[in-house]
């Protein structure tokens, strides 16, 4: 049996070794910025290895990530990647929140810190502004 990676990632946070350090637990450090700044930072650190120019599943999160996702239909799923104002209707949120509604979790290495996923939801619900 395999232990769930997300639980391992959360351990340092739960034990409270440093509550000011905002780490995604995958090796890259995130600033913890809110809104699009925080979302795009996650893409740059966690996603472009696979979703760069000409990326996996036709998803380029490098060239113009906001234009690539906002109001754009998913290639593999019958829904928008990001439906502005509604994170529950957004494939991107479901995949990062690991709801198993649209295939596996993104990034593939395991769900990120809940704060990252919550910021994504808040940004989408805020209308997904590209700034
Ligand atoms: C190790 C490679 C890899 C990494 C890293 C990765 N992905 Fe993916 N991604 C894939 C593969 C393979 C698929 C196609 C299978 C699927 O839909 O789950 C995919 C599909 C997707 C889709 C569905 C695209 C569509 O239109 O159907 C989204 C959205 C997505 N990834 C977002 C992300 C985000 C956001 C990150 C970073 C947090 C990320 N991925 C990191 C490999 C990766």
């Amino acid at each position: 049996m395999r232990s769930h990676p997300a639980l391992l990632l959360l351990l340092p946070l739960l034990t409270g070794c440093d509550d000011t350090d905002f780490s995604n637990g995958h090796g890259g450090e995130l600033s913890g910025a809110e809104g699009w700044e925080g979302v795009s930072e996650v893409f740059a650190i966690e996603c472009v290895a696979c979703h760069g120019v000409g990326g996996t599943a036709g998803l380029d999160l490098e060239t113009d990530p906001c234009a690539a996702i906002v109001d754009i239909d998913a290639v593999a799923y019958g829904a928008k990647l990001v439906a502005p104002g509604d994170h529950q209707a957004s494939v991107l949120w479901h995949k990062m929140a690991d709801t198993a509604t649209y295939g596996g979790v993104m990034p593939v290495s395991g769900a990120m810190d809940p704060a990252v996923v919550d910021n994504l939801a808040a940004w989408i619900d805020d209308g997904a502004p590209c700034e």
Side-chain angles (χ1 to χ4, degrees):
M1 198 183 111
R2 200 167 71 90
S3 64
H4 196 290
L7 295 178
L8 297 176
L9 300 177
L10 283 174
L11 241 110
L13 294 173
L14 294 175
T15 52
C17 49
D18 182 352
D19 56 0
T20 57
D21 181 37
F22 191 94
S23 165
N24 62 19
H26 289 176
E29 292 295 319
L30 294 170
S31 68
E34 296 185 347
W36 173 241
E37 190 183 340
V39 172
S40 57
E41 187 181 62
V42 167
F43 291 166
I45 294 175
E46 291 288 331
C47 316
V48 297
C50 297
H51 299 291
V53 180
T56 305
L59 185 59
D60 174 355
L61 292 174
E62 191 168 5
T63 308
D64 188 352
C66 204
I69 55 175
V70 176
D71 240 348
I72 300 294
D73 291 322
V75 169
Y77 311 96
K80 300 282 184 200
L81 287 171
V82 168
D86 189 355
H87 72 271
Q88 288 281 353
S90 302
V91 170
L92 176 64
W93 177 79
H94 280 279
K95 289 185 88 60
M96 289 195 66
D98 200 8
T99 67
T101 307
Y102 301 109
V105 64
M106 288 294 143
V108 176
S109 53
M112 297 183 69
D113 189 297
V116 169
V117 181
D118 288 350
N119 180 56
L120 175 68
W123 171 71
I124 293 172
D125 292 346
D126 203 31
C130 296
E131 56 193 27

